[in-house]
mmCIF file of all heavy atoms in Angstrom:
data_model
loop_
_atom_site.group_PDB
_atom_site.id
_atom_site.type_symbol
_atom_site.label_atom_id
_atom_site.label_comp_id
_atom_site.label_asym_id
_atom_site.label_seq_id
_atom_site.Cartn_x
_atom_site.Cartn_y
_atom_site.Cartn_z
ATOM 1 N N ALA A 1 -4.343 -69.524 -5.252
ATOM 2 C CA ALA A 1 -4.516 -68.565 -6.298
ATOM 3 C C ALA A 1 -4.433 -69.059 -7.695
ATOM 4 O O ALA A 1 -4.977 -70.104 -8.019
ATOM 5 C CB ALA A 1 -3.658 -67.239 -6.058
ATOM 6 N N GLY A 2 -3.594 -68.384 -8.575
ATOM 7 C CA GLY A 2 -3.544 -68.841 -9.954
ATOM 8 C C GLY A 2 -2.453 -69.879 -10.191
ATOM 9 O O GLY A 2 -2.419 -70.391 -11.462
ATOM 10 N N GLN A 3 -1.668 -70.316 -9.282
ATOM 11 C CA GLN A 3 -0.570 -71.227 -9.606
ATOM 12 C C GLN A 3 -1.014 -72.583 -10.099
ATOM 13 O O GLN A 3 -0.423 -73.063 -11.103
ATOM 14 C CB GLN A 3 0.277 -71.459 -8.188
ATOM 15 C CG GLN A 3 1.482 -72.248 -8.556
ATOM 16 C CD GLN A 3 1.196 -73.747 -8.118
ATOM 17 O OE1 GLN A 3 0.192 -73.991 -7.613
ATOM 18 N NE2 GLN A 3 2.201 -74.569 -8.250
ATOM 19 N N PRO A 4 -2.183 -73.146 -9.690
ATOM 20 C CA PRO A 4 -2.497 -74.488 -10.146
ATOM 21 C C PRO A 4 -2.884 -74.409 -11.553
ATOM 22 O O PRO A 4 -2.513 -75.274 -12.462
ATOM 23 C CB PRO A 4 -3.776 -74.821 -9.231
ATOM 24 C CG PRO A 4 -3.554 -74.183 -8.011
ATOM 25 C CD PRO A 4 -2.919 -72.901 -8.444
ATOM 26 N N TRP A 5 -3.527 -73.287 -12.003
ATOM 27 C CA TRP A 5 -3.843 -73.155 -13.479
ATOM 28 C C TRP A 5 -2.537 -72.955 -14.301
ATOM 29 O O TRP A 5 -2.507 -73.534 -15.372
ATOM 30 C CB TRP A 5 -4.861 -71.946 -13.727
ATOM 31 C CG TRP A 5 -5.084 -71.723 -15.175
ATOM 32 C CD1 TRP A 5 -5.823 -72.401 -15.988
ATOM 33 C CD2 TRP A 5 -4.416 -70.719 -16.001
ATOM 34 N NE1 TRP A 5 -5.834 -71.883 -17.232
ATOM 35 C CE2 TRP A 5 -4.986 -70.871 -17.269
ATOM 36 C CE3 TRP A 5 -3.503 -69.702 -15.815
ATOM 37 C CZ2 TRP A 5 -4.592 -70.035 -18.357
ATOM 38 C CZ3 TRP A 5 -3.185 -68.927 -16.838
ATOM 39 C CH2 TRP A 5 -3.727 -69.050 -18.138
ATOM 40 N N ARG A 6 -1.681 -72.103 -13.880
ATOM 41 C CA ARG A 6 -0.384 -71.959 -14.534
ATOM 42 C C ARG A 6 0.361 -73.254 -14.693
ATOM 43 O O ARG A 6 1.146 -73.304 -15.653
ATOM 44 C CB ARG A 6 0.497 -70.858 -13.821
ATOM 45 C CG ARG A 6 -0.169 -69.409 -13.833
ATOM 46 C CD ARG A 6 0.882 -68.520 -13.447
ATOM 47 N NE ARG A 6 1.352 -68.544 -12.071
ATOM 48 C CZ ARG A 6 0.684 -68.060 -11.116
ATOM 49 N NH1 ARG A 6 -0.306 -67.292 -11.281
ATOM 50 N NH2 ARG A 6 1.364 -68.214 -9.826
ATOM 51 N N ARG A 7 0.184 -74.238 -13.771
ATOM 52 C CA ARG A 7 0.973 -75.437 -13.790
ATOM 53 C C ARG A 7 0.157 -76.667 -14.166
ATOM 54 O O ARG A 7 0.537 -77.794 -13.829
ATOM 55 C CB ARG A 7 1.527 -75.602 -12.391
ATOM 56 C CG ARG A 7 2.671 -74.508 -12.123
ATOM 57 C CD ARG A 7 4.045 -74.834 -12.660
ATOM 58 N NE ARG A 7 5.001 -73.863 -12.431
ATOM 59 C CZ ARG A 7 6.245 -73.817 -12.947
ATOM 60 N NH1 ARG A 7 6.612 -74.961 -13.639
ATOM 61 N NH2 ARG A 7 7.087 -72.922 -12.784
ATOM 62 N N CYS A 8 -0.966 -76.454 -14.895
ATOM 63 C CA CYS A 8 -1.721 -77.713 -15.274
ATOM 64 C C CYS A 8 -2.032 -77.768 -16.729
ATOM 65 O O CYS A 8 -2.058 -76.618 -17.409
ATOM 66 C CB CYS A 8 -2.942 -77.834 -14.425
ATOM 67 S SG CYS A 8 -4.351 -76.831 -15.007
ATOM 68 N N TYR A 9 -2.288 -78.972 -17.250
ATOM 69 C CA TYR A 9 -2.812 -79.128 -18.599
ATOM 70 C C TYR A 9 -4.281 -79.192 -18.416
ATOM 71 O O TYR A 9 -4.807 -79.940 -17.545
ATOM 72 C CB TYR A 9 -2.337 -80.466 -19.156
ATOM 73 C CG TYR A 9 -2.911 -80.723 -20.565
ATOM 74 C CD1 TYR A 9 -2.574 -80.065 -21.648
ATOM 75 C CD2 TYR A 9 -4.107 -81.552 -20.585
ATOM 76 C CE1 TYR A 9 -3.025 -80.367 -22.896
ATOM 77 C CE2 TYR A 9 -4.653 -81.840 -21.864
ATOM 78 C CZ TYR A 9 -4.225 -81.119 -22.914
ATOM 79 O OH TYR A 9 -4.807 -81.465 -24.165
ATOM 80 N N GLY A 10 -5.021 -78.420 -19.211
ATOM 81 C CA GLY A 10 -6.546 -78.354 -19.160
ATOM 82 C C GLY A 10 -6.986 -77.188 -18.373
ATOM 83 O O GLY A 10 -6.241 -76.191 -18.277
ATOM 84 N N ASP A 11 -8.146 -77.289 -17.839
ATOM 85 C CA ASP A 11 -8.841 -76.175 -17.047
ATOM 86 C C ASP A 11 -8.524 -76.253 -15.654
ATOM 87 O O ASP A 11 -8.056 -77.299 -15.185
ATOM 88 C CB ASP A 11 -10.398 -76.336 -17.397
ATOM 89 C CG ASP A 11 -10.995 -74.931 -17.155
ATOM 90 O OD1 ASP A 11 -10.325 -73.947 -16.728
ATOM 91 O OD2 ASP A 11 -12.296 -74.913 -17.195
ATOM 92 N N ASN A 12 -8.942 -75.202 -14.948
ATOM 93 C CA ASN A 12 -8.741 -75.263 -13.430
ATOM 94 C C ASN A 12 -9.895 -74.488 -12.932
ATOM 95 O O ASN A 12 -10.266 -73.450 -13.352
ATOM 96 C CB ASN A 12 -7.509 -74.627 -13.030
ATOM 97 C CG ASN A 12 -7.388 -74.344 -11.574
ATOM 98 O OD1 ASN A 12 -7.626 -73.257 -11.025
ATOM 99 N ND2 ASN A 12 -7.092 -75.435 -10.748
ATOM 100 N N ILE A 13 -10.460 -75.056 -11.758
ATOM 101 C CA ILE A 13 -11.519 -74.395 -10.950
ATOM 102 C C ILE A 13 -10.912 -74.157 -9.510
ATOM 103 O O ILE A 13 -10.384 -75.028 -8.930
ATOM 104 C CB ILE A 13 -12.829 -75.132 -10.956
ATOM 105 C CG1 ILE A 13 -13.422 -75.072 -12.283
ATOM 106 C CG2 ILE A 13 -13.748 -74.413 -10.014
ATOM 107 C CD1 ILE A 13 -14.667 -75.896 -12.419
ATOM 108 N N THR A 14 -10.983 -72.925 -9.007
ATOM 109 C CA THR A 14 -10.661 -72.639 -7.638
ATOM 110 C C THR A 14 -11.779 -72.623 -6.746
ATOM 111 O O THR A 14 -12.870 -71.917 -7.032
ATOM 112 C CB THR A 14 -9.978 -71.308 -7.657
ATOM 113 O OG1 THR A 14 -8.791 -71.314 -8.493
ATOM 114 C CG2 THR A 14 -9.502 -70.838 -6.231
ATOM 115 N N TYR A 15 -11.867 -73.330 -5.623
ATOM 116 C CA TYR A 15 -12.897 -73.319 -4.629
ATOM 117 C C TYR A 15 -12.472 -72.462 -3.392
ATOM 118 O O TYR A 15 -11.276 -72.258 -3.149
ATOM 119 C CB TYR A 15 -13.280 -74.704 -4.241
ATOM 120 C CG TYR A 15 -12.430 -75.464 -3.403
ATOM 121 C CD1 TYR A 15 -12.484 -75.393 -1.991
ATOM 122 C CD2 TYR A 15 -11.359 -76.328 -3.922
ATOM 123 C CE1 TYR A 15 -11.530 -76.033 -1.056
ATOM 124 C CE2 TYR A 15 -10.462 -76.975 -3.042
ATOM 125 C CZ TYR A 15 -10.570 -76.866 -1.688
ATOM 126 O OH TYR A 15 -9.683 -77.575 -0.809
ATOM 127 N N THR A 16 -13.527 -71.824 -2.834
ATOM 128 C CA THR A 16 -13.261 -70.869 -1.779
ATOM 129 C C THR A 16 -13.434 -71.544 -0.365
ATOM 130 O O THR A 16 -14.076 -72.656 -0.271
ATOM 131 C CB THR A 16 -14.244 -69.608 -1.883
ATOM 132 O OG1 THR A 16 -15.580 -70.199 -1.732
ATOM 133 C CG2 THR A 16 -14.049 -69.074 -3.291
ATOM 134 N N ASP A 17 -12.998 -70.888 0.659
ATOM 135 C CA ASP A 17 -13.203 -71.465 2.029
ATOM 136 C C ASP A 17 -14.408 -70.774 2.709
ATOM 137 O O ASP A 17 -14.587 -70.924 4.025
ATOM 138 C CB ASP A 17 -11.937 -71.073 2.776
ATOM 139 C CG ASP A 17 -10.690 -72.080 2.449
ATOM 140 O OD1 ASP A 17 -10.988 -73.001 1.822
ATOM 141 O OD2 ASP A 17 -9.607 -71.676 2.826
ATOM 142 N N TRP A 18 -15.230 -70.031 2.015
ATOM 143 C CA TRP A 18 -16.228 -69.298 2.763
ATOM 144 C C TRP A 18 -17.357 -70.317 3.339
ATOM 145 O O TRP A 18 -17.931 -69.979 4.233
ATOM 146 C CB TRP A 18 -17.017 -68.314 1.757
ATOM 147 C CG TRP A 18 -16.183 -67.471 0.941
ATOM 148 C CD1 TRP A 18 -16.360 -67.314 -0.495
ATOM 149 C CD2 TRP A 18 -15.026 -66.683 1.266
ATOM 150 N NE1 TRP A 18 -15.252 -66.450 -0.929
ATOM 151 C CE2 TRP A 18 -14.510 -66.133 0.040
ATOM 152 C CE3 TRP A 18 -14.239 -66.621 2.374
ATOM 153 C CZ2 TRP A 18 -13.399 -65.304 0.047
ATOM 154 C CZ3 TRP A 18 -13.105 -65.822 2.392
ATOM 155 C CH2 TRP A 18 -12.734 -65.175 1.215
ATOM 156 N N GLN A 19 -17.395 -71.394 2.686
ATOM 157 C CA GLN A 19 -18.462 -72.332 3.088
ATOM 158 C C GLN A 19 -17.786 -73.853 3.018
ATOM 159 O O GLN A 19 -17.143 -74.187 2.060
ATOM 160 C CB GLN A 19 -19.609 -72.284 2.131
ATOM 161 C CG GLN A 19 -20.740 -73.215 2.515
ATOM 162 C CD GLN A 19 -21.962 -73.052 1.553
ATOM 163 O OE1 GLN A 19 -23.038 -73.414 1.783
ATOM 164 N NE2 GLN A 19 -21.683 -72.471 0.332
ATOM 165 N N ARG A 20 -18.087 -74.716 4.050
ATOM 166 C CA ARG A 20 -17.527 -75.945 4.024
ATOM 167 C C ARG A 20 -17.985 -76.810 2.852
ATOM 168 O O ARG A 20 -19.139 -76.572 2.432
ATOM 169 C CB ARG A 20 -17.872 -76.605 5.410
ATOM 170 C CG ARG A 20 -17.262 -78.015 5.587
ATOM 171 C CD ARG A 20 -17.556 -78.583 6.839
ATOM 172 N NE ARG A 20 -17.264 -77.715 7.987
ATOM 173 C CZ ARG A 20 -15.996 -77.678 8.538
ATOM 174 N NH1 ARG A 20 -15.030 -78.509 8.038
ATOM 175 N NH2 ARG A 20 -15.766 -76.816 9.555
ATOM 176 N N ASP A 21 -17.173 -77.610 2.249
ATOM 177 C CA ASP A 21 -17.475 -78.580 1.191
ATOM 178 C C ASP A 21 -17.699 -77.765 -0.145
ATOM 179 O O ASP A 21 -18.198 -78.305 -1.161
ATOM 180 C CB ASP A 21 -18.727 -79.321 1.382
ATOM 181 C CG ASP A 21 -18.531 -80.293 2.501
ATOM 182 O OD1 ASP A 21 -17.481 -80.774 2.694
ATOM 183 O OD2 ASP A 21 -19.453 -80.517 3.292
ATOM 184 N N ASN A 22 -17.111 -76.494 -0.313
ATOM 185 C CA ASN A 22 -17.161 -75.971 -1.599
ATOM 186 C C ASN A 22 -16.271 -76.691 -2.585
ATOM 187 O O ASN A 22 -16.447 -76.653 -3.875
ATOM 188 C CB ASN A 22 -16.641 -74.583 -1.538
ATOM 189 C CG ASN A 22 -17.625 -73.533 -1.106
ATOM 190 O OD1 ASN A 22 -18.839 -73.850 -1.089
ATOM 191 N ND2 ASN A 22 -17.306 -72.289 -0.660
ATOM 192 N N PHE A 23 -15.328 -77.564 -2.173
ATOM 193 C CA PHE A 23 -14.620 -78.375 -2.981
ATOM 194 C C PHE A 23 -15.374 -79.284 -3.890
ATOM 195 O O PHE A 23 -15.312 -79.463 -5.062
ATOM 196 C CB PHE A 23 -13.606 -79.303 -2.038
ATOM 197 C CG PHE A 23 -13.032 -80.472 -2.903
ATOM 198 C CD1 PHE A 23 -12.009 -80.287 -3.806
ATOM 199 C CD2 PHE A 23 -13.481 -81.721 -2.649
ATOM 200 C CE1 PHE A 23 -11.503 -81.299 -4.407
ATOM 201 C CE2 PHE A 23 -12.999 -82.817 -3.278
ATOM 202 C CZ PHE A 23 -11.941 -82.610 -4.226
ATOM 203 N N TRP A 24 -16.386 -80.029 -3.094
ATOM 204 C CA TRP A 24 -17.368 -80.895 -3.705
ATOM 205 C C TRP A 24 -18.398 -80.102 -4.719
ATOM 206 O O TRP A 24 -18.805 -80.679 -5.659
ATOM 207 C CB TRP A 24 -18.089 -81.710 -2.722
ATOM 208 C CG TRP A 24 -17.153 -82.764 -2.153
ATOM 209 C CD1 TRP A 24 -16.593 -82.845 -0.913
ATOM 210 C CD2 TRP A 24 -16.685 -83.804 -2.925
ATOM 211 N NE1 TRP A 24 -15.876 -83.990 -0.915
ATOM 212 C CE2 TRP A 24 -15.750 -84.554 -2.084
ATOM 213 C CE3 TRP A 24 -16.842 -84.357 -4.210
ATOM 214 C CZ2 TRP A 24 -15.147 -85.796 -2.522
ATOM 215 C CZ3 TRP A 24 -16.171 -85.513 -4.753
ATOM 216 C CH2 TRP A 24 -15.242 -86.223 -3.794
ATOM 217 N N ARG A 25 -18.582 -78.827 -4.345
ATOM 218 C CA ARG A 25 -19.502 -78.108 -5.234
ATOM 219 C C ARG A 25 -18.746 -77.784 -6.553
ATOM 220 O O ARG A 25 -19.435 -77.860 -7.588
ATOM 221 C CB ARG A 25 -19.950 -76.753 -4.590
ATOM 222 C CG ARG A 25 -20.921 -76.938 -3.372
ATOM 223 C CD ARG A 25 -21.307 -75.754 -2.663
ATOM 224 N NE ARG A 25 -22.261 -76.145 -1.641
ATOM 225 C CZ ARG A 25 -21.922 -76.292 -0.315
ATOM 226 N NH1 ARG A 25 -20.595 -76.288 0.040
ATOM 227 N NH2 ARG A 25 -22.768 -76.711 0.629
ATOM 228 N N ALA A 26 -17.458 -77.617 -6.451
ATOM 229 C CA ALA A 26 -16.741 -77.292 -7.691
ATOM 230 C C ALA A 26 -16.558 -78.514 -8.520
ATOM 231 O O ALA A 26 -16.599 -78.561 -9.656
ATOM 232 C CB ALA A 26 -15.258 -76.787 -7.308
ATOM 233 N N VAL A 27 -16.319 -79.778 -7.742
ATOM 234 C CA VAL A 27 -16.264 -81.003 -8.505
ATOM 235 C C VAL A 27 -17.608 -81.261 -9.327
ATOM 236 O O VAL A 27 -17.707 -81.758 -10.451
ATOM 237 C CB VAL A 27 -15.993 -82.108 -7.594
ATOM 238 C CG1 VAL A 27 -16.186 -83.485 -8.268
ATOM 239 C CG2 VAL A 27 -14.550 -81.963 -6.999
ATOM 240 N N ARG A 28 -18.775 -81.027 -8.610
ATOM 241 C CA ARG A 28 -19.986 -81.264 -9.213
ATOM 242 C C ARG A 28 -20.322 -80.311 -10.433
ATOM 243 O O ARG A 28 -20.944 -80.728 -11.332
ATOM 244 C CB ARG A 28 -21.187 -80.931 -8.151
ATOM 245 C CG ARG A 28 -22.543 -81.253 -8.681
ATOM 246 C CD ARG A 28 -23.548 -81.013 -7.511
ATOM 247 N NE ARG A 28 -23.443 -79.629 -6.906
ATOM 248 C CZ ARG A 28 -24.015 -79.345 -5.766
ATOM 249 N NH1 ARG A 28 -24.592 -80.216 -4.936
ATOM 250 N NH2 ARG A 28 -23.924 -77.992 -5.329
ATOM 251 N N GLU A 29 -19.694 -79.163 -10.435
ATOM 252 C CA GLU A 29 -19.715 -78.296 -11.630
ATOM 253 C C GLU A 29 -19.276 -79.041 -12.905
ATOM 254 O O GLU A 29 -19.687 -78.722 -13.974
ATOM 255 C CB GLU A 29 -18.843 -77.063 -11.336
ATOM 256 C CG GLU A 29 -18.881 -76.083 -12.584
ATOM 257 C CD GLU A 29 -20.168 -75.299 -12.718
ATOM 258 O OE1 GLU A 29 -21.140 -75.531 -11.863
ATOM 259 O OE2 GLU A 29 -20.193 -74.533 -13.755
ATOM 260 N N VAL A 30 -18.334 -79.941 -12.664
ATOM 261 C CA VAL A 30 -17.723 -80.632 -13.843
ATOM 262 C C VAL A 30 -18.611 -81.969 -14.047
ATOM 263 O O VAL A 30 -18.815 -82.338 -15.215
ATOM 264 C CB VAL A 30 -16.265 -80.910 -13.590
ATOM 265 C CG1 VAL A 30 -15.659 -81.648 -14.905
ATOM 266 C CG2 VAL A 30 -15.583 -79.700 -13.221
ATOM 267 N N THR A 31 -18.822 -82.637 -13.016
ATOM 268 C CA THR A 31 -19.364 -84.085 -13.246
ATOM 269 C C THR A 31 -20.794 -84.040 -13.403
ATOM 270 O O THR A 31 -21.429 -84.901 -14.041
ATOM 271 C CB THR A 31 -19.041 -84.919 -12.127
ATOM 272 O OG1 THR A 31 -19.749 -84.402 -10.829
ATOM 273 C CG2 THR A 31 -17.515 -85.036 -11.719
ATOM 274 N N GLY A 32 -21.539 -82.949 -12.827
ATOM 275 C CA GLY A 32 -22.984 -83.042 -12.775
ATOM 276 C C GLY A 32 -23.480 -84.083 -11.728
ATOM 277 O O GLY A 32 -22.582 -84.676 -10.947
ATOM 278 N N GLU A 33 -24.715 -84.331 -11.604
ATOM 279 C CA GLU A 33 -25.171 -85.353 -10.726
ATOM 280 C C GLU A 33 -25.707 -86.497 -11.457
ATOM 281 O O GLU A 33 -26.113 -86.540 -12.713
ATOM 282 C CB GLU A 33 -26.448 -84.765 -9.895
ATOM 283 C CG GLU A 33 -25.930 -83.705 -8.966
ATOM 284 C CD GLU A 33 -27.094 -83.151 -8.057
ATOM 285 O OE1 GLU A 33 -28.270 -83.705 -8.211
ATOM 286 O OE2 GLU A 33 -26.872 -82.230 -7.244
ATOM 287 N N GLY A 34 -25.679 -87.768 -10.936
ATOM 288 C CA GLY A 34 -26.470 -88.862 -11.416
ATOM 289 C C GLY A 34 -25.409 -89.728 -12.330
ATOM 290 O O GLY A 34 -25.887 -90.724 -12.906
ATOM 291 N N ALA A 35 -24.108 -89.257 -12.526
ATOM 292 C CA ALA A 35 -23.287 -90.028 -13.446
ATOM 293 C C ALA A 35 -22.626 -91.242 -12.635
ATOM 294 O O ALA A 35 -22.627 -91.397 -11.506
ATOM 295 C CB ALA A 35 -22.153 -89.112 -13.964
ATOM 296 N N VAL A 36 -21.991 -92.180 -13.539
ATOM 297 C CA VAL A 36 -21.142 -93.175 -12.916
ATOM 298 C C VAL A 36 -19.897 -92.594 -12.749
ATOM 299 O O VAL A 36 -19.154 -92.111 -13.764
ATOM 300 C CB VAL A 36 -21.127 -94.471 -13.827
ATOM 301 C CG1 VAL A 36 -20.029 -95.476 -13.301
ATOM 302 C CG2 VAL A 36 -22.425 -95.100 -14.080
ATOM 303 N N ILE A 37 -19.302 -92.580 -11.555
ATOM 304 C CA ILE A 37 -18.071 -91.898 -11.160
ATOM 305 C C ILE A 37 -17.016 -92.886 -10.825
ATOM 306 O O ILE A 37 -17.204 -93.736 -9.978
ATOM 307 C CB ILE A 37 -18.329 -91.001 -9.885
ATOM 308 C CG1 ILE A 37 -19.452 -90.019 -10.250
ATOM 309 C CG2 ILE A 37 -17.012 -90.270 -9.499
ATOM 310 C CD1 ILE A 37 -19.138 -88.955 -11.208
ATOM 311 N N GLY A 38 -15.771 -92.611 -11.475
ATOM 312 C CA GLY A 38 -14.681 -93.393 -11.064
ATOM 313 C C GLY A 38 -13.892 -92.796 -10.051
ATOM 314 O O GLY A 38 -13.705 -91.548 -10.002
#
């Protein structure tokens, strides 16, 4: 829920369990596609 946002510096995005790999969809929201990724 909201605990990670309350305990972090910067922004926070929460991903849901309704669909497998929503974690990576949330990551993509920040990085976009086609970038050089570290």
Side-chain angles (χ1 to χ4, degrees):
Q3 183 264 356
W5 176 76
R6 292 193 298 272
R7 290 283 176 178
C8 80
Y9 175 81
D11 198 3
N12 171 261
I13 295 177
T14 299
Y15 71 91
T16 65
D17 284 347
W18 317 135
Q19 181 180 201
R20 190 177 300 277
D21 295 326
N22 279 346
F23 167 78
W24 285 107
R25 294 180 178 91
V27 171
R28 184 175 60 195
E29 177 74 2
V30 184
T31 65
E33 294 182 2
V36 176
I37 302 295

